[in-house]
Structures are given as structure tokens and as C-alpha cells.
Amino acid sequence: MPIFYGTEVRSRLFLGTARYPSPAVLAEAVRQSGTDIVTVSLRRETAGGRSGGAFFELIRELGVRVLPNTAGCHSVSEAVLTAKMAREVFSTNWIKLEVIGHQDTLQPDVFGLVEAACILAGEGFEVFPYTTDDLVVAERLVEAGCKVLMPWCAPIGSAMGPQNVPALRAMRAHFPDVPLIVDAGIGRPSHAATVMELGYDAVLLNTAVAGAASPAAMAAAFAKAIEAGHAACHAGMLEPRDMAVPSTPVIGKAVFT
Ligand SMILES: CC(=O)[C@@H](O)[C@H](O)COP(=O)(O)O
């Protein structure tokens, strides 16, 4: 199973906790997903409007590890301050670092991201940076101390699925030893299977489950797709080809009398 900052996890699915219709629905989705890591924002409104202590208590009851995030932060100082508060609240050095740079696309501000990652890594945080699929930015994040990378595959909440498969493939090839988690833009289990088939270590998603008609059933479907994609990646997939190849070879000709 994958190891992130020295911690081995049982599931390759990381689940977001925002936008669920109720705390009960969130709890059932977490259970059905089999995840052992949920990401939690200190700043966003949470399931069914439940907030503060009650929400955090629910998360604790689920027995999953919390990956706090800096969702909604638009500057380095805001992200760093939020990370420090999250460390106090959740007693963890883990932080999913988001520094949003564009209001419409929620595209990461990659310059601010590298700066904030540098500051936080220097203060002992174990940073999971939400980034684009840009290799140069990824290099800078690794130089800043990030031992995990979280490229998007499409804008947050868009459900568009992988928009640039060659870029995701290049990132996997360029960082063979860095755990890679696709974060954001996954809409369907087949999208998650696709990125796992590329050799990614895990997937983080929120909207596709929280916004489904049945979040618990969708969480279970994602869990299966992610495992299937991972298994396929290591089972030796065929390369597509232009010409037909008979799947039933024949020897000679049948004799009809
Ligand atoms: C939950 C989280 O931390 C975000 O990065 C984001 O919400 C995930 O993206 P999707 O909602 O598109 O799955």
C-alpha cells in the first residue's frame, strides 16, 4: 500500500468532506469509501451546515486520519496562518496546501504555492501541495521540501475528468519515486480508474461523491474503480494499435464434407 510521509495507508482514495447534504450522509460515504484519510477545511462550511466542534467530533468518530487543507486561501500569508491553526486543531503536521490564484478556475497560484510550501516545510509541516500538472512547478515544490505532489486533472468541482493525460503521464515518468495523488476535477469512477492506470498512487476527490444522488453508493463505486485502475496498471496493459488482430487465431482451414 502507498506510503505518504512515512505513513502507510490502506486505501488509495482520499475523500473531501464538503458539500454533503447532511452529516449522516457524509459519515456513510466515508464508511463506504473505505478511505482512511479525509481532507477537512478549517474555513469552509461543512456538511449540512454543521460546523466547528460538532463537525470535527463527527470526523473523529469516523476513526479516519485528517488531512487538513487550506481551501479558500488566496495568499501565502493566509495559507500559512490557516496551516498553523489546522496543526493546533488537528494535532498533525500534515497539510494539504491550496493557494488559489484565479477565482473562476480555482487554478492554483503556483508561485504563492511554492513560497508557502517552502515556509511550511521549513516549520516542520509535511506538505501535500495542490498544484497544476506543470513539471517545472513540481520540481520547485520538491526542492521546497514536498515529498508528495497533488496535480489537478481538471478544475475543482468541474467533474470534467483528466484534461491532459499526456501531462499526467509525463509527471509520473518524471517523478518515479515521489508519491503522486490526483486532486480535483474527477467526475466519474472511470476518470479515477484512468489516472490510476497511469500509475498514480491515489486520488483525492470530493464533489463527485458529495454531489451524487447517492453519495455512499458513489463512494463505494469510486473505491472499486481506484483499486481496478491500480491493479490494471501493474498487470501489464496492452498498448492500443491501429490494425485489427484476430483474438481467435485459426490454424489452416476447417474441412467441410
Ligand atoms: C476537497 C478538496 O480539498 C479540493 O481540492 C477539491 O474539492 C477536490 O476537488 P473535487 O471537488 O473536484 O473532487
Side-chain angles (χ1 to χ4, degrees), residues 152-241:
W152 68 353
C153 78
I156 292 173
S158 69
M160 290 194 290
Q163 295 299 291
N164 194 345
V165 167
L168 292 176
R169 189 181 287 122
M171 189 171 272
R172 178 69 287 176
H174 198 73
F175 297 99
D177 301 322
V178 177
L180 298 179
I181 305 169
V182 164
D183 173 15
I186 296 276
R188 298 174 178 209
S190 57
H191 298 157
T194 296
V195 299
M196 294 305 293
E197 286 173 6
L198 295 174
Y200 276 68
D201 295 282
V203 169
L204 188 152
L205 57 92
N206 190 154
T207 308
V209 167
S214 171
M218 189 59 79
F222 267 106
K224 288 179 188 156
I226 287 166
E227 278 314 309
H230 174 71
C233 177
H234 295 280
M237 290 177 292
L238 299 186
E239 287 303 319
R241 47 190 297 164

Side-chain angles (χ1 to χ4, degrees), residues 134-153:
D134 186 303
L135 289 180
V136 179
V137 173
E139 285 279 13
R140 298 288 179 275
L141 289 167
V142 170
E143 286 164 15
C146 297
K147 294 185 167 50
V148 174
L149 295 169
M150 302 184 85
W152 68 353
C153 78

Side-chain angles (χ1 to χ4, degrees), residues 25-240:
V25 172
L26 163 64
E28 195 48 27
V30 169
R31 287 189 200 101
Q32 292 299 319
S33 73
T35 189
D36 45 11
I37 299 183
V38 296
T39 182
V40 174
S41 167
L42 278 187
R43 307 194 59 208
R44 289 251 175 90
E45 191 188 343
T46 50
R50 200 177 182 186
S51 60
F55 175 75
F56 299 138
E57 189 50 39
L58 170 72
I59 297 296
R60 281 193 194 98
E61 284 165 14
L62 288 168
V64 288
R65 181 167 183 148
V66 172
L67 171 59
N69 67 59
T70 63
C73 293
H74 287 74
S75 69
V76 173
S77 57
E78 218 181 350
V80 168
L81 180 62
T82 303
K84 289 180 179 174
M85 287 164 60
R87 175 153 71 178
E88 296 304 314
V89 171
F90 294 107
S91 307
T92 177
N93 284 335
W94 281 15
I95 190 74
K96 184 168 103 70
L97 182 61
E98 288 187 24
V99 182
I100 300 300
H102 191 269
Q103 196 51 46
D104 292 337
T105 61
L106 299 181
Q107 178 166 346
D109 167 359
V110 293
F111 306 100
L113 181 68
V114 172
E115 190 181 336
C118 215
I119 294 168
L120 292 171
E123 297 197 17
F125 281 87
E126 294 175 323
V127 180
F128 294 67
Y130 163 63
T131 184
T132 62
D133 51 26
D134 186 303
L135 289 180
V136 179
V137 173
E139 285 279 13
R140 298 288 179 275
L141 289 167
V142 170
E143 286 164 15
C146 297
K147 294 185 167 50
V148 174
L149 295 169
M150 302 184 85
W152 68 353
C153 78
I156 292 173
S158 69
M160 290 194 290
Q163 295 299 291
N164 194 345
V165 167
L168 292 176
R169 189 181 287 122
M171 189 171 272
R172 178 69 287 176
H174 198 73
F175 297 99
D177 301 322
V178 177
L180 298 179
I181 305 169
V182 164
D183 173 15
I186 296 276
R188 298 174 178 209
S190 57
H191 298 157
T194 296
V195 299
M196 294 305 293
E197 286 173 6
L198 295 174
Y200 276 68
D201 295 282
V203 169
L204 188 152
L205 57 92
N206 190 154
T207 308
V209 167
S214 171
M218 189 59 79
F222 267 106
K224 288 179 188 156
I226 287 166
E227 278 314 309
H230 174 71
C233 177
H234 295 280
M237 290 177 292
L238 299 186
E239 287 303 319

